[in-house]
């Protein structure tokens, strides 16, 4: 099973504490240095009190494409930090951090990437058709092409960092330390949601949107546990962020880009459709589709069962046979 892949490396609890520190420093310190340097360079000679600290203000100073590049770059450095922690601290091959299979199954990645890309793009286009007054054509060829290059290269690295860190490193680490599955599933899902708490969307929509973020984390965690690997979570997350960044933006979201459409709708009117339907309708339907395609069984054991060390697993098997 997926969490048990951690036993193929060194898995003492203190290694995970140190690993989290390494990852955080790579992501939030080293990775953020270029963004800080660019902001300082752009504001040389200005009163320090006028230097922006919020996302919108920084974006106005740097421009959306440069800000997006530098922001996504920090996640790419964070991903390197995850791999350094896995390989250096835990002696765990990246393959075992990714999947329980003998090799990474890219067919799984591309299946859900294409499926969710089509679904999410269709939702935006249908919404545009039904409520054209809520959208403005935002397409400008040159900045869009720059956005396209940045997005295609760096957004998969950003989403991969989040998956390898939450559904990979933390899921495995908490699982082998606490010896169960539901606690790491719950903790990583809540942690994933809280990571987005500083996003502009939360200020505009209120904390109710945390239902969407935490619900998304639960969905990604469940498909990781049920499929014994990160491939589906990596594909879904990459498609979700990439197609959103290219298709539609708004002046109150974390991803403010030179996308094709600008969303003019009032964020305070978001409710059932945008927050609750994905979590309580769309994600369960996706779970059903994936479970049929990949023949998932034994849901209770995979999501709520114990995590057993290989040596103890053999003892347990012998006891069951007696």
């Amino acid at each position: 099973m997926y969490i048990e892949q951690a036993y193929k490396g060194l898995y003492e609890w203190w290694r995970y504490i140190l690993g989290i520190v390494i990852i955080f420093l790579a992501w939030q310190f080293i990775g953020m240095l270029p963004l800080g340097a660019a902001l300082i360079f752009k504001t040389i000679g200005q009163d320090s009190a006028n230097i922006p600290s919020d996302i919108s203000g920084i974006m106005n100073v740097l421009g959306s494409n440069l800000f997006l590049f530098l922001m996504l770059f920090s996640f790419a450095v964070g991903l390197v930090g995850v791999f350094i922690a896995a390989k250096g601290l835990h002696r765990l091959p990246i393959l075992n951090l990714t999947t329980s299979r003998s090799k990474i199954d890219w067919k799984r990645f591309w299946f859900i990437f294409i499926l969710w890309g089509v679904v999410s793009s269709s939702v935006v286009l249908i919404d545009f058709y039904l409520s054209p007054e809520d959208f403005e054509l935002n397409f400008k060829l040159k900045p869009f092409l720059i956005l396209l290059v940045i997005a295609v290269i760096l957004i998969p690295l950003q989403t991969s960092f989040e998956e390898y860190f939450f559904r990979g490193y933390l899921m495995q680490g908490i699982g082998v330390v606490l010896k169960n599955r539901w606690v790491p599933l719950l903790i990583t899902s809540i942690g994933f949601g809280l990571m987005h708490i500083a996003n502009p969307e939360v200020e505009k929509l209120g904390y109710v949107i945390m239902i969407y973020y935490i619900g998304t984390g639960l969905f990604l965690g469940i498909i990781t546990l049920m499929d014994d690997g990160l491939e589906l979570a990596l594909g879904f997350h990459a498609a979700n962020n990439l197609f959103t960044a290219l298709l539609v933006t708004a002046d109150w979201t974390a991803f403010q880009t030179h996308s094709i459409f600008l969303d003019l709708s009032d964020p305070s009117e978001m409710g059932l459709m945008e927050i609750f339907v994905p979590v309580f309708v769309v994600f369960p339907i996706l779970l059903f589709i994936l479970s049929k395609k990949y023949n998932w069984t034994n849901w209770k054991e995979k999501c709520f069962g114990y995590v057993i060390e290989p040596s103890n697993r053999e003892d347990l098997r012998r006891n069951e046979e007696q």
Side-chain angles (χ1 to χ4, degrees):
M1 292 185 178
Y2 177 68
I3 289 179
E4 284 83 348
Q5 294 300 300
Y7 289 123
K8 297 181 178 179
L10 305 175
Y11 50 89
E12 293 88 350
W13 65 268
W14 62 266
R15 295 180 187 273
Y16 286 100
I17 299 298
L18 183 56
I20 291 171
V21 173
I22 291 172
I23 293 165
F24 186 83
L25 288 175
W27 170 33
Q28 287 293 307
F29 182 70
I30 298 174
M32 285 293 185
L33 286 177
L35 178 60
L39 183 61
I40 291 172
F41 179 79
K42 287 283 190 177
T43 56
I44 289 176
Q46 294 186 21
D47 187 338
S48 59
N50 295 326
I51 299 176
S53 58
D54 60 296
I55 291 177
S56 296
I58 296 173
M59 192 177 303
N60 288 335
V61 171
L62 299 180
S64 64
N65 275 339
L66 178 57
F67 172 78
L68 182 67
F69 172 80
L70 294 172
M71 185 265 290
L72 293 177
F73 176 80
S74 69
F75 288 91
V77 176
L79 181 61
V80 173
V82 174
F83 291 161
I84 289 174
K87 294 283 288 183
L89 269 178
H90 301 274
R91 303 293 191 269
L92 185 70
I94 303 305
L95 174 65
N96 298 124
L97 186 64
T98 307
T99 185
S100 60
R101 286 169 273 275
S102 60
K103 61 181 181 179
I104 297 174
D105 188 348
W106 290 106
K107 288 183 179 180
R108 278 172 153 82
F109 174 93
W110 288 114
F111 170 76
I112 199 166
F113 180 90
I114 294 170
L115 173 64
W116 190 243
V118 170
V119 170
S120 58
S121 299
S122 298
V123 169
V124 171
L125 295 176
I126 290 171
D127 198 17
F128 172 71
Y129 176 78
L130 295 176
S131 305
E133 69 279 2
D134 288 339
F135 294 86
E136 177 182 295
L137 188 63
N138 191 51
F139 181 77
K140 296 177 182 177
L141 181 59
K142 184 178 178 179
F144 178 80
L145 291 177
I146 296 172
L147 166 65
L148 181 64
V149 173
I150 294 171
V152 168
I153 295 174
L154 289 179
I155 284 181
L157 296 179
Q158 174 244 330
T159 55
S160 293
F161 163 72
E162 294 181 12
E163 292 311 308
Y164 272 104
F165 182 50
F166 285 100
R167 257 65 63 178
Y169 190 78
L170 290 181
M171 182 89 80
Q172 287 187 349
I174 297 170
V176 298
V177 170
L178 299 183
K179 301 295 190 292
N180 66 52
R181 304 179 193 284
W182 71 268
V183 174
L185 173 62
L186 189 61
I187 291 176
T188 56
S189 299
I190 293 173
F192 178 75
L194 292 177
M195 187 186 72
H196 296 83
I197 201 167
N199 284 11
E201 296 95 316
V202 178
E203 180 181 351
K204 287 290 184 179
L205 304 176
Y207 290 110
V208 67
I209 198 174
M210 297 305 293
I211 294 173
Y212 172 76
Y213 290 133
I214 295 173
T216 302
L218 279 170
F219 167 72
L220 293 168
I222 290 170
I223 64 176
T224 297
L225 292 176
M226 290 304 304
D227 200 51
D228 287 324
L230 283 177
E231 294 97 332
L232 292 175
L234 288 167
F236 176 91
H237 203 164
N240 185 72
N241 287 25
L242 178 61
F243 285 93
T244 299
L246 294 176
L247 278 177
V248 63
T249 190
D251 59 10
W252 45 267
T253 62
F255 269 10
Q256 297 178 37
T257 65
H258 288 286
S259 58
I260 296 174
F261 296 110
L262 178 65
D263 186 350
L264 302 176
S265 61
D266 184 356
S268 64
E269 296 178 357
M270 289 183 66
L272 183 65
M273 182 63 68
E274 293 83 357
I275 296 174
F276 292 96
V277 169
V279 174
F280 297 107
V281 178
V282 177
F283 292 165
I285 291 173
L286 282 175
L287 284 174
F288 176 78
I289 293 171
L290 294 171
S291 69
K292 294 301 181 182
K293 179 173 177 59
Y294 297 113
N295 299 313
W296 292 347
T297 57
N298 202 10
W299 289 69
K300 183 178 179 180
E301 171 63 22
K302 285 196 170 184
C303 292
F304 299 97
Y306 293 105
V307 174
I308 304 172
E309 295 184 45
S311 57
N312 294 336
R313 185 176 297 278
E314 183 62 23
D315 294 339
L316 180 63
R317 185 187 65 80
R318 291 196 191 98
N319 292 335
E320 289 176 345
E321 291 175 351
Q322 292 177 356

